[in-house]
Each structure stands twice: as structure tokens, then as C-alpha cells.
Amino acid sequence: MADQANKLREKVTSQTQSTPRDRKTKVIAVTSGKGGVGKSNICLNLALSMEALDKKVMILDLDVGMANVDVLMGVTPKGSLISMLEEKLPLEEVLETGVNGLTYIAGGNGIGRVFSMSEDQLHHFFHEFSSLQGKVDYIILDTGAGLTQESMRFLQAADDIFIVLNPEPPSITDAYAVLKALHMKNDQLPIKLIVNRTINEFEGEQASANFLRASKQLLNKPIEVLGYIPDDDAVRKAVMAQTPYLLQYPRSKASEAVNQIARTYLDLPTQYKLGVKGFLMKTLFHK
Ligand SMILES: Nc1ncnc2c1ncn2[C@@H]1O[C@H](COP(=O)(O)OP(=O)(O)O)[C@@H](O)[C@H]1O
Ligand SMILES: [Mg+2]
């Protein structure tokens, strides 16, 4: 098995040359210190905002067992990444099309199994996921809060990592712990910050300043702050209505903030790594 996995790895490495097509798909992992800071809402609404800016976006929900993106969209997924693996399904069968053409894949229970696949499953998984290469512009991973071994692997393999925090000191401290753990694995990880649920701009600036101050000693490069999303009743109402706030309340403060974050992010100079195949290589083989 180890031998065969090595063979697959070699084969894939040789195919993972960065052609322009390979570079097209970028993987963004969204994480936080604690749960409940607004990750899933940000993944969903940011994805929709990016779609409105002509990007094709897919959400991969890796926060297993939590009421996540599917619930926020009012969609019941018919399959998951895990069922795709175990039943050898084609990717299209577990791919949901949600609102406004947004595509979505549920993680499914026991996502850790992704890392203990049989040789066959590994091939299947790789083959199916590689087919996304160039078909979508961005894959957004809604990862679980805190640092499980699984989420660490996904985070380290992504092209960009967005850490979401709330302005309260405990949330900042937890986010800092995530940053530190990631930094210990790799001090070059491209980490960006989003502050959610701010009462005003000043609070957002304070929160990110505190976070940046704490991380200054750790990092030798500044962290990009993508923006602040206000605490907004529109979010709560949209969650209740199982409709993304960007669609239900497009003129709300939260929607405006998310649109601004999408523009800020898309305006950054892009430094693609290896796209989907690079992501798969790193996640599955630590390469
Ligand atoms: N900007 C916001 N304004 C008001 N409430 C928010 C905001 N963002 C999130 N919430 C509330 O927090 C809850 C949890 O958000 P969610 O996106 O599910 O967090 P996570 O995915 O990090 O666990 C939402 O159901 C909503 O009630
Ligand atoms: Mg969530």
C-alpha cells in the first residue's frame, strides 16, 4: 500500500506542473479559534459576493456535524465528500447547486477518513477532485473551529487562510492560538484577517490592532486585514429565514461589508500556488 501510494504520488507530482490552467483555481480556507464567530455565514456570503463579481466559487464544507452552509442556504445535501469516497460516486453526484449558481459539497461524517483512504479511494478522490481544476476560480473551505489534526492539514494546503474573529478579547486570544499553531508548522502561510460582529469601525480597528500587536513578534510580515463586518440584525434574520443575507438584505451593512471584503481580496495581487492538484497533494501526501 505504501509503495502504491508512493507511485501515485510520483505520478501526480509529475502532472502537477504549473500550467496556466493549473493556476486558475485558488483554495481559500476559512478558520477561527472558537465556533460561532460567523465563519459559515462569511463563507456563504463572501462566495455569493465573489460570484456577483464574475468568479466561479465552490464551497467545501469541512466543519462536520455542525449546522453549516447547507442550512444557511436552506438546502439538504444528497451526498457528501465521504459518501463520494465510500460509494465511489462521481463528484457531480455530491455537488449541490445552491442559490445563484453557487456550488457546494458537504464534508460528511468522519472527514478524517479522507486521510486513511485505501489506494483505490485515493485514486478516485484525486481523479474526481482534479477535475475541478480550472472549472472554478475559487474553492472556499469552511473548516471547523480550533485546530484538529484534520483541519490543520487542510489549512496548510490552502492558497490563502482567512482567520475570522470577533472583537471580544477571548476571541482574539483564540484566533491568536490558531495563528501560532499554523505559524509553527510553516512561517510562510498566507494568513488574512476578517473581524466579524463589530459595533463600529473603531471596534474593528481596535480588534485587528490588538491581534496584529500580539502577532508582531511571531511574524516577520504584516497580516492583511480584509475588513470588518458589523453586527447586524440582517444576519440573524437571514439565518432564521435560511437565506443568505447578501440576497435577502443586499443593502444591509453586513452585505456592504462583505462586498467590500470581496473587492479588497480580489484586488490583491494574486500569488497562485498549485491550485487544486497542489492542494490535494499537500492534503493527502503532505507534499
Ligand atoms: N455579522 C453578524 N451580525 C449578527 N449576527 C451574526 C453575525 N455573524 C454571525 N452572527 C450570528 O452568529 C451565528 C453563528 O454564525 P455562523 O456563521 O454559523 O458561525 P460559525 O460558522 O463560525 O460557527 C449566526 O447564526 C448569527 O446568529
Ligand atoms: Mg460553521
Side-chain angles (χ1 to χ4, degrees):
M1 157 73 200
D3 236 26
Q4 281 173 319
N6 275 337
K7 267 186 215 146
L8 174 64
R9 186 181 317 171
E10 276 162 26
K11 188 171 141 202
V12 168
T13 311
S14 69
Q15 290 172 357
T16 315
Q17 303 306 328
S18 47
T19 62
R21 209 177 146 71
D22 277 340
R23 286 164 178 262
K24 215 185 152 210
T25 306
K26 196 165 183 178
V27 180
I28 302 172
V30 180
T31 191
S32 66
K34 266 206 187 72
V37 297
K39 276 186 311 297
S40 299
N41 273 278
I42 289 175
C43 287
L44 174 60
N45 291 282
L46 192 61
L48 288 167
S49 186
M50 287 163 76
E51 289 261 343
L53 295 168
D54 268 349
K55 303 293 178 197
K56 251 207 115 358
V57 187
M58 194 193 93
I59 297 178
L60 178 53
D61 193 342
L62 298 171
D63 194 2
V64 173
M66 301 303 277
N68 277 325
V69 178
D70 49 345
V71 182
L72 297 176
M73 284 196 290
V75 168
T76 310
K78 45 187 186 299
S80 70
L81 201 64
I82 291 301
S83 62
M84 178 190 115
L85 253 180
E86 299 194 330
E87 295 160 47
K88 285 258 180 82
L89 303 172
L91 187 72
E92 297 83 70
E93 281 204 26
V94 296
L95 196 75
E96 301 290 333
T97 305
V99 278
N100 283 21
L102 183 74
T103 45
Y104 167 83
I105 299 179
N109 275 324
I111 195 73
R113 267 178 278 168
V114 164
F115 303 119
S116 54
M117 284 184 273
S118 70
E119 163 79 4
D120 251 19
Q121 288 174 323
L122 210 56
H123 269 281
H124 176 65
F125 188 87
F126 207 93
H127 179 263
E128 291 301 312
F129 256 81
S130 301
S131 72
L132 286 172
Q133 187 83 289
K135 285 196 191 137
V136 291
D137 299 304
Y138 292 91
I139 299 176
I140 299 183
L141 312 179
D142 185 3
T143 71
L147 293 173
T148 62
Q149 228 178 345
E150 286 116 50
S151 63
M152 272 303 251
R153 280 175 75 165
F154 289 118
L155 286 163
Q156 289 179 79
D159 292 315
D160 268 315
I161 301 170
F162 294 178
I163 298 183
V164 179
L165 53 87
N166 293 156
E168 296 88 21
S171 175
I172 299 176
T173 311
D174 288 342
Y176 178 71
V178 170
L179 175 76
K180 205 165 164 187
L182 287 167
H183 183 78
M184 274 159 60
K185 294 276 184 193
N186 176 355
D187 62 4
Q188 296 301 318
L189 291 173
I191 294 168
K192 298 175 172 64
L193 208 64
I194 297 177
V195 186
N196 187 32
R197 306 193 74 164
T198 57
I199 301 301
N200 52 40
E201 182 122 346
F202 178 71
E203 199 183 50
E205 280 164 15
Q206 285 288 307
S208 48
N210 288 341
F211 184 83
L212 297 183
R213 196 174 310 121
S215 43
K216 205 168 164 198
Q217 281 185 314
L218 197 64
L219 308 168
N220 46 20
K221 55 175 185 173
I223 292 183
E224 199 91 39
V225 180
L226 291 176
Y228 320 124
I229 304 172
D231 189 90
D232 190 339
D233 257 346
V235 179
R236 278 182 288 270
K237 285 192 217 154
V239 170
M240 290 301 285
Q242 291 187 271
T243 319
Y245 54 81
L246 203 85
L247 304 180
Q248 184 93 339
Y249 304 104
R251 291 185 201 291
S252 64
K253 289 221 157 50
S255 296
E256 279 172 16
V258 162
N259 284 329
Q260 184 55 51
I261 288 173
R263 284 191 297 267
T264 302
Y265 177 64
L266 294 176
D267 279 348
L268 294 176
T270 43
Q271 295 173 337
Y272 286 118
K273 289 190 198 160
L274 287 170
V276 182
K277 284 186 186 169
F279 172 72
L280 290 170
M281 282 296 288
K282 282 196 164 185
T283 320
L284 301 176
F285 307 124
H286 279 293
K287 270 275 172 178

